[in-house]
Amino acid sequence: EAGVTQFPSHSVIEKGQTVTLRCDPISGHDNLYWYRRVMGKEIKFLLHFVKESKQDESGMPNNRFLAERTGGTYSTLKVQPAELEDSGVYFCASSHTGARWTGELFFGEGSRLTVL
Amino acid sequence: RKEVEQDPGPFNVPEGATVAFNCTYSNSASQSFFWYRQDCRKEPKLLMSVYSSGNEDGRFTAQLNRASQYISLLIRDSKLSDSATYLCVVSSSNTGKLIFGQGTTLQVKP
C-alpha cells in the first residue's frame, strides 16, 4: 500500500512568488492534515480536512495560505505571496476514521520550501 | 512557554546503553500522549502511545505522570538503529490535532 506522498520534495522560490504543494493521502483515509516545521522550531499543526471539508484551520498562519481538498482525495496548499518566514518543511499526514482513535497519523516525507 | 518541552540533546550514547528522555506539557486538558520517531530528513512515525499505567514495547518503556504533566521514554540496550530524533507529542482532542515538542536527538555510537 502506498504511503502519503507529497510533491514537490523541495521548492526554492523568491519572495513574492506563489508555490503550490500537493499531498496524496493513503487511499481510503478521510482525515488529511497539514503541519509545518520552520527552522529551529517544533512541528506545528496547520489544518485538518475530513473528506473535502475543513474541520479545523486554527493553525493557518494568515490569509496568504490556502488549502483545498476538492473531491476529498488529494489536497493542495498554496502560499501566495510567499514570505521569507514561510521557509520550512510542510508535512502532510492522513488517518482513517475509525471507532477508536489510536493517535497514529501517517506522515509524508514533507515538502521543503525555501523562500529567498 | 512552549506547550510541550523537551531537552533537544543531542544525547550521545554507546551501543547497549540505557537512555531516558523526558518531556513536560503545559495543557492540563491534554488527553492523549505519544512518542513519535523521526529519522534524519524523513517523516515522523508513531513509536508508541503513552498510558497512565505505563507501557512497554520491547526495549522501549513509556511513562506518564498526569499530576506532574510529565512524560518519559526509556530505551534499553540501545542499538545503532535507534539513532533518530524522538518527538514527544500530546493531544487534547481525538481529531488528530497533535502538539509536538521540538524533539530530542539520540546518537548511538558503536
Side-chain angles (χ1 to χ4, degrees):
Chain A
E1 181 184 285
V4 176
T5 56
Q6 294 188 243
F7 182 83
S9 58
H10 192 186
S11 181
V12 181
I13 61 172
E14 294 190 350
K15 177 183 168 180
Q17 290 187 319
T18 298
V19 64
T20 300
L21 310 177
R22 173 174 169 139
C23 168
D24 286 81
I26 292 172
S27 177
H29 281 192
D30 289 338
N31 296 295
L32 186 149
Y33 311 84
W34 284 98
Y35 284 79
R36 77 170 177 179
R37 184 172 200 158
V38 297
M39 182 73 76
K41 301 276 192 177
E42 65 275 16
I43 297 171
K44 283 199 167 178
F45 169 85
L46 295 179
L47 89 160
H48 170 205
F49 285 99
V50 177
K51 296 185 181 177
E52 67 276 6
S53 300
K54 288 177 186 171
Q55 183 77 14
D56 180 352
E57 52 185 327
S58 61
M60 295 289 264
N62 52 61
N63 60 10
R64 295 185 294 102
F65 290 75
L66 175 65
E68 294 180 321
R69 192 183 183 195
T70 308
T73 55
Y74 71 91
S75 174
T76 57
L77 180 64
K78 181 191 287 188
V79 185
Q80 179 183 32
E83 297 290 343
L84 299 179
E85 64 265 23
D86 301 333
S87 295
V89 182
Y90 290 76
F91 290 103
C92 177
S94 70
S95 71
H96 57 77
T97 303
R100 180 175 167 271
W101 187 62
T102 64
E104 183 166 20
L105 300 191
F106 296 87
F107 283 82
E109 290 195 358
S111 290
R112 184 174 297 273
L113 173 64
T114 302
V115 183
L116 302 176
Chain B
R1 183 187 171 190
K2 292 190 172 79
E3 290 189 68
V4 178
E5 299 250 23
Q6 292 182 253
D7 178 349
F11 284 58
N12 294 299
V13 303
E15 271 187 292
T18 295
V19 62
F21 305 138
N22 304 316
C23 160
T24 58
Y25 60 95
S26 61
N27 185 355
S28 58
S30 297
Q31 299 176 15
S32 306
F33 309 89
F34 313 94
W35 285 99
Y36 271 71
R37 170 193 168 132
Q38 186 175 22
D39 293 308
C40 188
R41 293 191 174 255
K42 291 290 190 178
E43 71 276 23
K45 290 184 180 178
L46 178 66
L47 177 66
M48 59 197 301
S49 300
V50 189
Y51 304 114
S52 297
S53 54
N55 49 298
E56 189 174 303
D57 183 2
R59 297 181 293 108
F60 298 82
T61 300
Q63 298 273 1
L64 167 64
N65 184 322
R66 284 185 185 269
S68 303
Q69 295 180 200
Y70 172 95
I71 306 162
S72 66
L73 177 68
L74 183 79
I75 305 175
R76 290 182 300 278
D77 187 23
S78 299
K79 311 288 184 195
L80 296 176
S81 56
D82 293 334
S83 298
T85 296
Y86 290 83
L87 302 164
C88 180
V89 182
V90 306
S91 176
S92 58
S93 67
N94 290 333
T95 63
K97 182 177 179 179
L98 304 179
I99 310 299
F100 285 80
Q102 205 166 343
T104 299
T105 300
L106 172 65
Q107 185 68 42
V108 181
K109 308 254 186 220

